Amino acid sequence: MLETQLFDAAKRVRLNAYVPYSNFPVACAIQSESGKIYLGVNVDNASYPETACAEANAIGAMISAGERQVKAVLVLGGHPGSGVLCTPCGGCRQRLGEFSQSDTPVYVCSDEGVQEVVTFGELLPRAFGPSNLEQK
């Protein structure tokens, strides 16, 4: 099952998050249109605005591999056992919008697994995206 594959991959990679300042590890697993899974973790920086989010890093991995379409997104945040649910921040919602459709599923997880499933359109209604820049 797709959500289990994404969850297992995110749970493994979250251990690699670099979070000495926020102390809040986040992992993101993205399935592209080809079916391949791309992973990212957050990477803190002493200059806080320079921190890289897990979603941005997963998107970067997907783009580096030559893919351009997100089929599904899973986000797992917080320390193991914390029970915390974490959705993408505003900036990452905009980043995801560049490569997602309004019906793209976004799985929100705790350590126990998927707790919520929302569409990207529910996460960022009326998103500004590439279609807004098309010349008529």
Side-chain angles (χ1 to χ4, degrees):
M1 176 180 260
L2 170 61
E3 63 188 63
T4 302
Q5 290 176 314
L6 293 172
F7 177 74
D8 290 344
K11 195 168 183 178
R12 279 191 310 274
V13 76
R14 180 179 55 174
L15 298 173
N16 297 330
Y18 178 74
V19 293
Y21 310 108
S22 70
N23 198 32
F24 192 84
V26 179
C28 179
I30 290 177
Q31 183 187 40
S32 67
E33 198 167 51
S34 74
K36 186 163 182 191
I37 295 174
Y38 297 94
L39 303 171
V41 296
N42 56 327
V43 179
D44 282 358
N45 190 287
S47 177
Y48 293 142
E50 303 309 317
T51 292
C53 294
E55 298 89 341
N57 288 330
I59 290 167
M62 181 186 79
I63 297 302
S64 294
E67 300 215 48
R68 298 289 188 266
Q69 189 63 47
V70 172
K71 183 176 175 182
V73 179
L74 182 138
V75 179
L76 173 62
H79 285 283
S82 69
V84 170
L85 293 181
C86 173
T87 60
C89 72
C92 286
R93 291 175 192 209
Q94 188 65 42
R95 287 178 187 94
L96 287 165
E98 190 76 14
F99 307 103
S100 300
Q101 303 298 315
S102 64
D103 62 348
T104 299
V106 179
Y107 301 98
V108 182
C109 302
S110 71
D111 277 346
E112 289 72 45
V114 175
Q115 302 299 312
E116 285 183 60
V117 182
V118 297
T119 64
F120 177 74
E122 292 170 316
L123 198 61
L124 187 61
R126 300 176 58 132
F128 181 88
S131 65
N132 294 100
L133 300 175
E134 291 177 0
Q135 305 243 341
K136 304 240 179 207

